[in-house]
Amino acid sequence: MGKFSLGPTLDTSEPLVLLNQAPRWNPFAMVPDGSASPRVEGSHRKVLAEMDLFSNHAHKVAVKKENEHDNINMGLNLDTHDRSISMGDEISSAGNENQTTSKLAKMQNELQRMNLENLKLKEMYLQVSNNYKALQMQLVTLMQQQEQALSIQKQDHLISQQVPRQFMELGPNTTQELTTSSSEEKTISASILNKAELPKTVGREDTPDSDVWMSNKVPKLIVPDQTNEATMRKVRVSVRARSEASMISDGCQWRKYGQKMAKGNPCPRAYYRCTMAVGCPVRKQVQRWADDQTILVTTYEGTHSHPLPPAAVAMASTTSAAATMLLSGSVSSADGFMNPNLLAQAIRPSSSSIATISASAPFPTITLDLTHPPNTLQKVNSTALESHPSSQFFPSASAMPLQAFHPGGGVYNQSRFAGFQLFHDKVSNQLIPHQLQTQPQTTFADSVSAITSDPNFTAALAAAITSIMGGNVNTITSDNNENKNAYDSTH
DNA sequence: CGGGTTTGACCTGCGC
DNA sequence: GCGCAGGTCAAACCCG
């Protein structure tokens, strides 16, 4: 790297000199404080890194050189040494004050230019961010309209016309239960798996209006017999996550009512019932995965009939959204039908995500696989697809929890489904009832922290800025920690 | 003592 | 009809 080893010696030393002169460095200040500061505090180093975020290569070299030493004075000495070598004749000669002054002026001009550039970049970043948010909102709006037009209205009407069901309170779109007679269960199951099938099935009865679901021509398809729980069939949402705990805490209170040894799995399956409200129909099964016992599979069934605490909103709304996706046919089936739509695309924008439904599953089940590294592009887990009978659904890396289910982390954040917040925000912001959306998002800060600490985030940011500026900002990633520290120290 | 857990018995659905 | 497996019940037990 002769580019940095010869001529730019003076340039690399400039940030350090200026830093020493500025006890409280303001990256956006036009003229640095001229007061001398013999000892550089740690915070100065952090701010220096922040200042150097969008500077040219020469200054990045200065930061890197500085980071290699325990304190900044060492680097300064090195630079001074270098300068003495390259400018030995100039230093030895008298009357070079003019040169020093002019050099200082150059440095100040350079600093001013860098500050202006930083401001421009900052504005550009904000603009890109705002544009992204606007596009995301438009996408969500479109998805909502599409969903409502194709399936939600049908399902809502179906549920609302049935015997009053306490499961509806979580969300009008959460039609997780369809009561059927056992003999026609498969017909209903097949129908609900593809929203396009719903009107077709109904259409065969020549009753295009939505009241067909309550018409006398199809009475056997809907048996509003709440007393016979055994005949009820429910959509299930299975969450697969790595956890060493016996049960993932999702914010709700559960009471264990049974345990069984399931075939093909050495680990027992535990049955839990929600006890947050009397008569809440929600139940869940917790079982370790046979292939990898570090993975805990939690299967939810039903919808809460009571207000949820903030800690439980994310999980409930996520499973609700997943169930809605399943009912609306937003996932692909192992049987061959593929019905992608914008909602599914929004949840799993990366091409590595997949969603399938197996007809062999006893109930329509959608599985949220959260066992993959959150920050890497996932590949389809073919073994999971083969070994798990129910549907598979892989949230995208970008939408996956960043902390709660980080593999290899040992103990995960079980106090709350922090990571689900992101997933929940993306998927079900338009699907959950307003009462739930008003719940405080207590884990947003954690999520943001996780994002900013993610090297891929800075890499993506660097790529985005590079695409705009065409400049060289590829060292942002390596300076990420320093930048984050600088951010923390200034907020 | 109340609430939760454990665990064996029981019920139901399904395939042969 | 029988056996198997999944799911549920409820009495006994445990714990704070």
Side-chain angles (χ1 to χ4, degrees), chain A residues 175-489:
Chain A
T175 56
Q176 297 187 0
E177 293 201 1
L178 289 175
T179 304
T180 66
S181 61
S182 59
S183 60
E184 289 160 335
E185 166 192 339
K186 290 181 180 178
T187 302
I188 289 295
S189 299
S191 298
I192 64 176
L193 293 184
N194 188 344
K195 67 183 172 190
E197 288 284 325
L198 275 173
K200 290 178 183 177
T201 304
V202 173
R204 295 190 189 103
E205 302 297 328
D206 295 330
T207 51
D209 61 293
S210 58
D211 289 337
V212 67
W213 288 96
M214 288 303 296
S215 68
N216 294 331
K217 295 184 179 180
V218 286
K220 293 179 179 180
L221 293 179
I222 304 165
V223 182
D225 182 10
Q226 272 193 310
T227 61
N228 190 0
E229 293 289 336
T231 61
M232 302 179 80
R233 288 296 175 265
K234 305 166 184 177
V235 173
R236 292 180 175 179
V237 178
S238 183
V239 177
R240 192 185 306 168
R242 292 187 185 277
S243 176
E244 294 179 355
S246 60
M247 184 176 68
I248 293 176
S249 176
D250 47 20
C252 287
Q253 297 175 359
W254 302 93
R255 180 180 180 273
K256 190 175 182 179
Y257 67 89
Q259 179 170 309
K260 287 281 289 188
M261 291 299 299
K263 186 180 180 181
N265 193 334
C267 301
R269 176 184 302 164
Y271 299 90
Y272 293 89
R273 183 176 293 156
C274 179
T275 60
M276 293 194 71
V278 178
C280 179
V282 176
R283 294 175 185 181
K284 76 172 181 181
Q285 301 174 5
V286 180
Q287 187 177 31
R288 297 210 167 270
W289 201 21
D291 293 354
D292 185 355
Q293 296 188 8
T294 64
I295 296 176
L296 202 63
V297 180
T298 305
T299 303
Y300 294 87
E301 180 181 303
T303 306
H304 294 281
S305 62
H306 51 83
L308 294 171
V313 168
M315 186 59 179
S317 58
T318 298
T319 55
S320 172
T324 303
M325 277 185 53
L326 177 61
L327 288 173
S328 62
S330 299
V331 291
S332 61
S333 168
D335 296 330
F337 85 76
M338 174 73 77
N339 188 16
N341 63 7
L342 289 177
L343 178 61
Q345 294 295 326
I347 299 172
R348 44 187 177 91
S350 70
S351 59
S352 59
S353 299
I354 190 173
T356 61
I357 294 175
S358 171
S360 61
F363 311 115
T365 305
I366 185 167
T367 299
L368 310 179
D369 193 320
L370 305 173
T371 61
H372 297 272
N375 298 324
T376 59
L377 290 179
Q378 309 153 28
K379 294 185 177 180
V380 176
N381 188 344
S382 58
T383 58
L385 286 170
E386 293 167 3
S387 60
H388 202 279
S390 55
S391 67
Q392 305 289 321
F393 172 68
F394 296 86
S396 71
S398 60
M400 281 177 60
L402 298 172
Q403 288 180 327
F405 302 104
H406 196 285
V411 178
Y412 309 97
N413 182 5
Q414 296 171 7
S415 61
R416 55 188 65 166
F417 259 54
F420 267 110
Q421 206 67 48
L422 294 176
F423 181 51
H424 155 255
D425 289 342
K426 266 198 169 182
V427 180
S428 56
N429 238 4
Q430 306 296 326
L431 300 178
I432 62 177
H434 294 296
Q435 68 173 36
L436 298 181
Q437 295 191 41
T438 58
Q439 300 283 357
Q441 312 219 345
T442 57
T443 59
F444 179 75
D446 293 340
S447 300
V448 171
S449 176
I451 291 172
T452 55
S453 63
D454 180 3
N456 285 351
F457 171 77
T458 50
L461 178 62
I465 296 175
T466 303
S467 65
I468 297 173
M469 298 296 296
N472 298 319
V473 291
N474 52 353
T475 59
I476 291 178
T477 300
S478 60
D479 295 332
N480 173 56
N481 290 336
E482 286 289 326
N483 296 334
K484 183 175 181 295
N485 292 337
Y487 178 87
D488 292 340
S489 65

Side-chain angles (χ1 to χ4, degrees), chain A residues 90-132:
Chain A
E90 296 176 11
I91 294 175
S92 60
S93 64
N96 60 354
E97 294 180 358
N98 288 337
Q99 282 188 348
T100 304
T101 304
S102 63
K103 182 168 182 59
L104 180 62
K106 282 183 180 179
M107 291 161 58
Q108 289 176 348
N109 289 336
E110 180 70 11
L111 176 65
Q112 184 176 353
R113 187 189 63 79
M114 289 166 54
N115 287 331
L116 289 174
E117 187 176 352
N118 272 338
L119 284 175
K120 287 181 181 178
L121 289 170
K122 190 176 182 181
E123 290 176 358
M124 285 184 177
Y125 170 72
L126 290 175
Q127 187 176 359
V128 170
S129 179
N130 289 335
N131 289 340
Y132 171 76

Side-chain angles (χ1 to χ4, degrees), chain A residues 34-49:
Chain A
S35 62
S37 178
R39 178 178 178 83
V40 178
E41 299 298 329
S43 61
H44 296 153
R45 294 183 54 209
K46 298 172 183 175
V47 176
L48 173 63

Side-chain angles (χ1 to χ4, degrees), chain A residues 6-7 9-10 79-91:
Chain A
L6 295 176
T9 303
L10 282 177
D79 287 342
T80 302
H81 177 69
D82 292 342
R83 180 185 299 185
S84 65
I85 293 174
S86 60
M87 300 178 62
D89 294 337
E90 296 176 11
I91 294 175

